[in-house]
Amino acid sequence: MSFGAGLLIGFIAWFLVRYLVAGIYTVDQNERAVKTILGRAERLNKSTLEDPFAEYLRPEERERYDYPQLRVIPPGGPYFKWPWERIYKVKIATQTVDMALDPEDPRANHNGTVLEAVTKDQLNIGLQGQIRYRVCERNLYAYFFGVKRPIVHVLGYFVSILRERIANFEAPRALVDGEAANDPVLNTGVSINDLRKNLRDLNELMDRECLSSEARYGITFDASLITAIDPPQDVESALAAINTAHNHVSSDISLAQAAADQKIVQSKRAVEIETLKAQAEVEPLSALASQLGELRRRGGPQAIGNYLRNVRLQLYKQAQRVFVEVQQ
């Protein structure tokens, strides 16, 4: 074989391996893929603003986040791509990340363990928890091409909203007789204790506030789980004493309420018993009155007189001494 023929065969073999065999690819079950041709993604004739998640965008944001919808390559294969095509793959499984993690600087926020925030009463607190998210399959253009690092933007978006909500957080007004109290003492719910008591509401509020992340960055928030809110060390003992006193007062109030409820129940039962006794005493008298009325109706006034005379005779038999009124 001449040198030229060997060079030609080698070139053909390299071309087949480099551009044909290497063009075969597959997509895993937990992945989705997008293909670009000469740098342009394969698009559908639809916009992400036509998707229901676009309703969470503010009117001034709709033009900024108007992304095209892409043709998504489903799991399976083998597929083939030409050398001028490029495949972008992403996992769509739900992932969990610490909310204090800073992907650009892992040493920030105490090595990604505690996120600091300031409450409305100017107390610097530490937050711990996780957020669950997944890549939105219906908005892969925003994830791949809208921003450089979507998770960095999403975490920054989440943290900024969380800090803003904590800085302006006020607990719901206390209820007095089923209505919101107007007493300012009862409505100053801005402390760390109020944040802890309303932790579930805060998590739900963050879920609602982050609904637009699908349209913004192509990432869906499954849940935010704030698990701990810690005060500074110098005020933790004071807060513990306040909590102890608050629990003691709550316990006393509960005991007093239980005792009052028990007395009310006992009073109602006593009234019912006396009412039944009165009815038991009235019933024979009512029956006697009915019988006397029937006797008068049938026998006339003389029958009543005879009845009274018989009654007196029975009483005289039982009496040991009788006083008789003499009319002069």
Side-chain angles (χ1 to χ4, degrees), residues 269-291:
R269 290 185 176 178
V271 170
E272 292 176 356
I273 292 173
E274 293 302 326
T275 302
L276 293 175
K277 286 182 178 178
Q279 290 176 351
E281 293 178 357
V282 168
E283 189 64 26
L285 297 177
S286 299
L288 178 60
S290 176
Q291 291 177 358

Side-chain angles (χ1 to χ4, degrees), residues 2 20 39 46 111 154 191 195 226 258 268 281 306:
S2 65
L20 296 181
K46 297 170 63 178
N111 294 323
V154 168
S191 67
L195 279 170
I226 303 173
K268 288 182 178 178
E281 293 178 357
N306 294 333

Side-chain angles (χ1 to χ4, degrees), residues 217-230:
Y217 310 115
I219 289 182
T220 303
F221 272 106
D222 271 359
S224 62
L225 305 171
I226 303 173
T227 56
I229 300 178
D230 299 323

Side-chain angles (χ1 to χ4, degrees), residues 96-310:
T96 302
V97 64
D98 198 306
M99 65 173 57
L101 176 66
D102 187 345
E104 293 186 323
D105 186 4
R107 296 173 298 176
N109 300 328
H110 304 276
N111 294 323
T113 57
V114 178
L115 179 66
E116 294 184 347
V118 180
T119 62
K120 195 170 185 178
D121 57 350
Q122 306 301 316
L123 184 65
N124 192 16
I125 63 175
L127 303 170
Q128 298 180 34
Q130 297 84 34
I131 59 175
R132 291 203 307 260
Y133 71 94
R134 68 179 187 276
V135 176
C136 180
E137 187 178 346
R138 306 194 309 273
N139 195 14
L140 289 181
Y141 187 94
Y143 182 81
F144 283 122
F145 313 112
V147 292
K148 187 175 182 180
R149 298 186 65 185
I151 187 59
V152 174
H153 286 266
V154 168
L155 285 175
Y157 177 67
F158 177 85
V159 170
S160 62
I161 292 179
L162 179 60
R163 282 175 170 162
E164 190 270 339
R165 291 304 176 189
I166 289 179
N168 297 286
F169 178 82
E170 289 188 8
R173 287 187 173 188
L175 297 179
V176 177
D177 297 332
E179 298 181 357
N182 294 321
D183 189 350
V185 177
L186 298 176
N187 295 326
T188 55
V190 298
S191 67
I192 186 174
N193 286 333
D194 297 298
L195 279 170
R196 285 172 167 171
K197 288 188 292 186
N198 296 275
L199 193 57
R200 178 179 178 181
D201 294 339
L202 186 60
N203 281 323
E204 293 177 351
L205 176 65
M206 290 304 301
D207 291 341
R208 292 195 300 270
E209 292 290 337
C210 294
L211 288 175
S212 63
S213 64
E214 288 181 312
R216 287 169 174 264
Y217 310 115
I219 289 182
T220 303
F221 272 106
D222 271 359
S224 62
L225 305 171
I226 303 173
T227 56
I229 300 178
D230 299 323
Q233 293 293 332
D234 53 346
V235 299
E236 188 168 8
S237 58
L239 287 173
I242 293 174
N243 290 333
T244 302
H246 179 75
N247 293 335
H248 182 69
V249 171
S250 299
S251 176
D252 291 345
I253 292 175
S254 298
L255 291 175
Q257 185 68 38
D261 293 342
Q262 185 177 7
K263 288 184 178 179
I264 291 174
V265 172
Q266 290 176 347
S267 300
K268 288 182 178 178
R269 290 185 176 178
V271 170
E272 292 176 356
I273 292 173
E274 293 302 326
T275 302
L276 293 175
K277 286 182 178 178
Q279 290 176 351
E281 293 178 357
V282 168
E283 189 64 26
L285 297 177
S286 299
L288 178 60
S290 176
Q291 291 177 358
L292 291 176
E294 183 67 19
L295 182 64
R296 181 183 178 85
R297 186 177 62 81
R298 294 185 178 183
Q302 186 179 358
I304 296 297
N306 294 333
Y307 172 78
L308 293 176
R309 183 175 59 81
N310 292 334

